[in-house]
Amino acid sequence: MAHNEHNKSRNSGSFGLIIFGALLLFLAPNIHPSNPTLGIIALIGGIVIGGVGFYLKFIRARVKQV
């Protein structure tokens, strides 16, 4: 039973948001080179999604501990 509790994934959604935001940030300039507006929207979206994931993963946990 102890091993089952140890192997359970906790807060993997926030880490997924960080990864997805980073992928958007790196891939944003290559999404549609002919339409730079979509690239800018993807760049801003990557920053926002990664920021939300970072907040959920690191900052919210520290606020709960204090």
Side-chain angles (χ1 to χ4, degrees):
M1 183 143 184
H3 292 290
N4 189 19
E5 292 295 321
H6 177 71
N7 292 332
K8 200 180 285 187
S9 80
R10 291 171 280 181
N11 296 332
S12 62
S14 57
F15 190 67
L17 284 175
I18 294 171
I19 297 296
F20 184 64
L23 281 174
L24 266 177
L25 234 108
F26 288 123
L27 298 176
N30 299 326
I31 289 178
H32 283 286
S34 61
N35 192 354
T37 307
L38 290 176
I40 292 172
I41 291 172
L43 185 72
I44 293 171
I47 292 171
V48 169
I49 291 172
V52 168
F54 183 80
Y55 170 77
L56 292 175
K57 181 77 173 171
F58 298 108
I59 297 179
R60 189 176 70 165
R62 287 188 183 177
V63 170
K64 284 184 179 180
Q65 288 178 356
V66 172

